[in-house]
Amino acid sequence: MKNIYLQLFTTFMKIGAFTFGGGWAMIPLIEREVVDKHKWISREDFIDELAVAQSLPGILAVNMSVLVGNKLRGLKGSLAAAIGTILPSFVIILLIAIFFVRIYDNPTVASIFKGIRPAVVALIVAPVLSTAKSAKLNRLTFAIPIVVALAIWMCGVSPVWCIIAGGLGGYIHYIVNRYSTMCSKKGGKE
Amino acid sequence: MMTYLSLFLTYLKIGLFGFGGGYAMLSLIQHETVEVVQWGATAPWLTQSEFTDIVAISQMTPGPIGINSATYIGYTVTGSVWGSVVATIAVCLPSFLLVLLVSRFILRNKENPIIKSIFKGLRPVVVGLIASAALLLMNRENFSDNTFSIAIAIVSFILVYFAKLHPIWVIAIAGVAGYIIY
């Protein structure tokens, strides 16, 4: 029988090496390898783990590999899986970082990147619209992303504060809601 | 040494508050590396155009953008492989701690209304985070000349949003356009 740690490592390394775009692009591949091919976990468990990986902060692909590795073999398993996920991009980016600096001032490279930069902006505008759609903003919550974006863009507010405020705001909204329904129930009785 | 420590703490923060996926994490990375002057540095680690180039590179290479930026910035800031190692470990560390400590708790309390309400509050914030990253990138450095830069941005947007073309191809096309135009 093959070593499970080695299997975890190579499986996640394959996933890390062949998915462009990270995160969501990796999920179907992880599912195929972990559920269908190796049968390490059931599909129901996979969906549960995905929900957890999504709700925790951090890199989705790393969260997912830590969860799967941990489920199979605890901490050692999660290390094997996560290092597998990270290693390909780490090595590739390191090589680029070392060599790219040397060709950065080359006029051909400079003109290529001059063309690429506005495209990168467009690549980030697109998910603004798609996440706005899936967040199901209503008339009240519509203002939140606008305030957040302006606060970070114009006032240099740290995104960390916006995240804390968002979580806190959701909690306060829940408390207020519960309090007001409690009051209206009481009022109804009296 | 100071630089390594601030690399570690900065990427730990990015890993700990990186809710909502790669693009939302981008605004955190951008704030910490382009806007803020970190300890042990005299200027922000990156210029706006360097940051944009890293985003472009990480879209063209495999792997998550959080890892890519940590590895790249770790190297450029320290000039050493160890900088990459430190930043990459730091950005992944919260994932390990949280998965091992609280994943079971979250799984058990999936339907808990308080947890649900917190995530509900985060959802619109994530939209704002991505929007702020896009707004910060709309600057002189990235739009060096008005006509061609804006044309490239509009065509790229149509290709990725409406034609659902993969980002790699959009970047490749924009690169070829840049080579021809400039």
Side-chain angles (χ1 to χ4, degrees), chain A residues 22 26-27 41 99 101 125 127 138 143 168:
Chain A
M26 284 186 171
I27 298 304
I41 56 176
F99 294 109
V101 186
V125 173
N138 57 36
L168 214 58

Side-chain angles (χ1 to χ4, degrees), chain B residues 54-74:
Chain B
I54 293 173
V55 177
I57 289 169
S58 66
Q59 294 280 3
M60 289 187 285
T61 53
I65 197 153
I67 301 287
N68 292 347
S69 90
T71 307
Y72 192 93
I73 291 168

Side-chain angles (χ1 to χ4, degrees), chain A residues 99-172:
Chain A
F99 294 109
F100 185 59
V101 186
R102 296 184 196 164
I103 57 161
Y104 201 59
D105 295 325
N106 176 300
T108 308
V109 175
S111 64
I112 290 173
F113 271 89
K114 223 168 147 183
I116 286 176
R117 283 176 203 140
V120 170
V121 179
L123 289 183
I124 300 171
V125 173
V128 176
L129 300 183
S130 48
T131 50
K133 250 188 229 163
S134 64
K136 297 192 182 78
L137 301 170
N138 57 36
R139 229 178 285 165
L140 189 76
T141 50
F142 195 76
I144 298 171
I146 296 171
V147 171
V148 167
L150 291 179
I152 297 171
W153 181 45
M154 303 190 60
C155 312
V157 172
S158 169
V160 170
W161 293 118
C162 300
I163 290 162
I164 293 171
L168 214 58
Y171 177 66
I172 291 168

Side-chain angles (χ1 to χ4, degrees), chain B:
Chain B
M1 205 57 226
M2 198 64 168
T3 312
Y4 285 95
L5 185 66
S6 68
L7 253 182
F8 182 80
L9 292 176
T10 302
Y11 270 94
L12 196 69
K13 201 193 314 178
I14 292 169
L16 192 58
F17 286 95
F19 286 97
Y23 286 111
M25 204 182 236
L26 220 51
S27 82
L28 267 163
I29 300 170
Q30 191 178 26
H31 181 82
E32 299 292 337
T33 58
V34 183
E35 307 274 303
V36 177
V37 179
Q38 301 289 352
W39 295 341
T42 49
W45 285 336
L46 300 172
T47 65
Q48 286 287 2
S49 49
E50 280 175 314
F51 177 79
T52 316
D53 295 345
I54 293 173
V55 177
I57 289 169
S58 66
Q59 294 280 3
M60 289 187 285
T61 53
I65 197 153
I67 301 287
N68 292 347
S69 90
T71 307
Y72 192 93
I73 291 168
Y75 181 80
T76 50
V77 166
T78 61
S80 146
V81 176
W82 290 110
S84 295
V85 174
V86 165
T88 307
I89 288 176
V91 79
C92 296
L93 200 57
S95 296
F96 274 95
L97 297 179
L98 291 171
V99 163
L100 300 178
L101 295 175
V102 301
S103 68
R104 207 166 293 166
F105 173 80
I106 291 192
L107 202 55
R108 223 181 295 135
N109 297 287
K110 248 192 324 194
E111 299 303 317
N112 181 305
I114 294 174
I115 292 183
K116 267 188 163 173
S117 70
I118 291 171
F119 287 120
K120 221 170 145 189
L122 282 177
R123 234 175 284 156
V125 172
V126 165
V127 179
L129 292 181
I130 305 173
S132 77
L135 285 170
L136 282 167
L137 287 177
M138 290 178 193
N139 55 47
R140 270 279 138 225
E141 287 183 53
N142 290 336
F143 289 79
S144 46
D145 77 286
N146 285 325
T147 5
F148 288 125
S149 300
I150 293 171
I152 289 174
I154 291 172
V155 172
S156 304
F157 179 78
I158 293 169
L159 288 177
V160 75
Y161 190 73
F162 293 107
K164 309 273 177 230
L165 200 62
H166 196 284
I168 299 179
W169 298 115
V170 178
I171 289 175
I173 293 167
V176 172
Y179 178 67
I180 294 167
I181 296 166
Y182 300 111

Side-chain angles (χ1 to χ4, degrees), chain A residues 48-63:
Chain A
D48 278 348
E49 311 254 287
L50 182 59
V52 174
Q54 253 186 289
S55 47
L56 291 174
I59 297 153
L60 183 64
V62 175
N63 287 355

